[in-house]
Amino acid sequence: MNTKQTLSALLLCSSVFVAKAQYTSKPPEVSPAPMKPDMTEIWEPEVKVVTPAKVLGDAPSDAIILFNGKNLDQWVSQKDTSKPAPWKIVNNDHMEVAPGSGGIQTKLKFGDCQLHIEWSAPDVVESEGQGRGNSGVFFQNRYELQILDSYNNRTYRNGQAGSIYKDHAPLVNAMRTPLEWNTYDVIYTAPRFKPDGSLDYPARITVLHNGVLIQNNVTINGLTLYIGLHHYPEAHGEDVISLQDHGNKTQFRNIWLRKL
Ligand code: MG
């Protein structure tokens, strides 16, 4: 091929490329019918009505009430699940960890959910770091959203209040004082497993602490471990939500959940 032929071939290639680029940048030339507004409206099934609470933070009409301050009927002891939850009800208003009695867990099992939980660090400030007001919410009895008195209490960032323990630090520290109540509003997506038991996709979690976003749809990297890298050792289905007894008198009230 001489120079002229080479130039012609290059021009042909570039004209094909330009023609193709022009074609793909245009809308389809043949439309089945002119679009009308109702062609993109979906009416059925009608969206279910949920009545929101009068006070923001209280349970909407479709929530499962896990704790309303009066009794622990929805909970059992983790040491012996045939026994009632051993924590203390205070003033028909909230519950308090009975240190040394062990954690408590729900009778019901859950997967994907929206959870609202209110908690307070112990009124008397004792100890420091992980020893101050430590508890935790375990989704599916495995993945811990840390509860800690992180008001003027430095510890490792992926272990403070609002962390996914030793997995993700919270985006900010939105902690209130030990004499005030905190809220967690959580959107939790359970992990999925393949038929052979291997992980299909990991759990995800979004958390607002006192209305402030602290976990933004983060991937939970596995079973919460105190020592070692987190991973998913086994497939599992729906499971209980548990609250940790870490030896501190952490308080809880107004716990409700919506299945998603
Ligand atoms: Mg904890």
Side-chain angles (χ1 to χ4, degrees):
M1 195 181 288
N2 59 30
T3 308
K4 196 172 176 184
Q5 285 171 323
T6 305
L7 197 58
S8 300
L10 281 171
L11 282 170
L12 183 63
C13 284
S14 62
S15 65
V16 167
F17 177 77
V18 168
K20 193 169 183 185
Q22 284 171 345
Y23 175 75
T24 53
S25 65
K26 283 183 182 173
E29 288 179 8
V30 180
S31 180
M35 291 294 283
K36 296 177 182 173
D38 61 2
M39 292 171 77
T40 45
E41 294 170 3
I42 299 169
W43 284 71
E44 301 297 339
E46 186 177 358
V47 174
K48 183 182 150 191
V49 173
V50 169
T51 308
K54 287 195 167 60
V55 177
L56 188 63
D58 284 353
S61 61
D62 66 342
I64 297 169
I65 309 298
L66 292 176
F67 181 62
N68 64 1
K70 311 296 180 210
N71 62 66
L72 288 163
D73 291 354
Q74 293 292 324
W75 302 80
V76 294
S77 165
Q78 277 208 299
K79 281 187 177 171
D80 182 345
T81 56
S82 69
K83 293 193 173 157
W87 293 4
K88 200 166 92 179
I89 299 287
V90 181
N91 298 333
N92 267 349
D93 174 70
H94 59 271
M95 67 165 124
E96 186 176 283
V97 178
S101 66
I104 64 172
Q105 65 184 52
T106 54
K107 291 178 178 174
L108 297 173
K109 296 181 174 183
F110 306 104
D112 300 350
C113 63
Q114 173 185 352
L115 179 77
H116 174 91
I117 185 165
E118 300 181 16
W119 60 276
S120 170
D123 296 345
V124 179
V125 176
E126 292 176 329
S127 191
E128 59 184 2
Q130 293 290 309
R132 187 186 296 181
N134 195 333
S135 183
V137 186
F138 284 74
F139 289 86
Q140 298 189 292
N141 212 18
R142 289 170 177 81
Y143 314 109
E144 184 184 13
L145 168 59
Q146 174 70 309
I147 286 176
L148 193 77
D149 180 1
S150 285
Y151 187 80
N152 291 334
N153 179 35
R154 192 75 208 283
T155 184
Y156 41 95
R157 57 185 274 115
N158 61 349
Q160 68 183 68
S163 65
I164 306 306
Y165 186 71
K166 287 195 169 178
D167 193 346
H168 297 283
L171 294 169
V172 292
N173 181 350
M175 190 73 198
R176 290 190 173 132
T177 74
L179 295 178
E180 297 177 290
W181 287 93
N182 291 271
T183 60
Y184 280 161
D185 285 284
V186 182
I187 313 297
Y188 173 75
T189 304
R192 301 302 199 264
F193 299 90
K194 295 175 184 169
D196 68 2
S198 62
L199 183 69
D200 191 358
Y201 61 88
R204 301 192 72 83
I205 193 165
T206 294
V207 183
L208 290 101
H209 184 185
N210 298 325
V212 179
L213 183 69
I214 58 164
Q215 299 288 353
N216 187 6
N217 194 29
V218 297
T219 297
I220 296 178
N221 287 306
L223 180 69
T224 297
L225 297 172
Y226 179 49
I227 300 171
L229 299 175
H230 295 188
H231 64 289
Y232 287 88
E234 56 169 3
H236 64 83
E238 292 191 342
D239 211 336
V240 300
I241 289 176
S242 53
L243 301 178
Q244 186 182 44
D245 168 18
H246 202 284
N248 303 132
K249 292 181 178 178
T250 305
Q251 301 156 347
F252 295 91
R253 70 178 187 186
N254 191 18
I255 309 174
W256 53 263
L257 177 147
R258 296 180 61 244
K259 289 185 172 186
L260 300 176

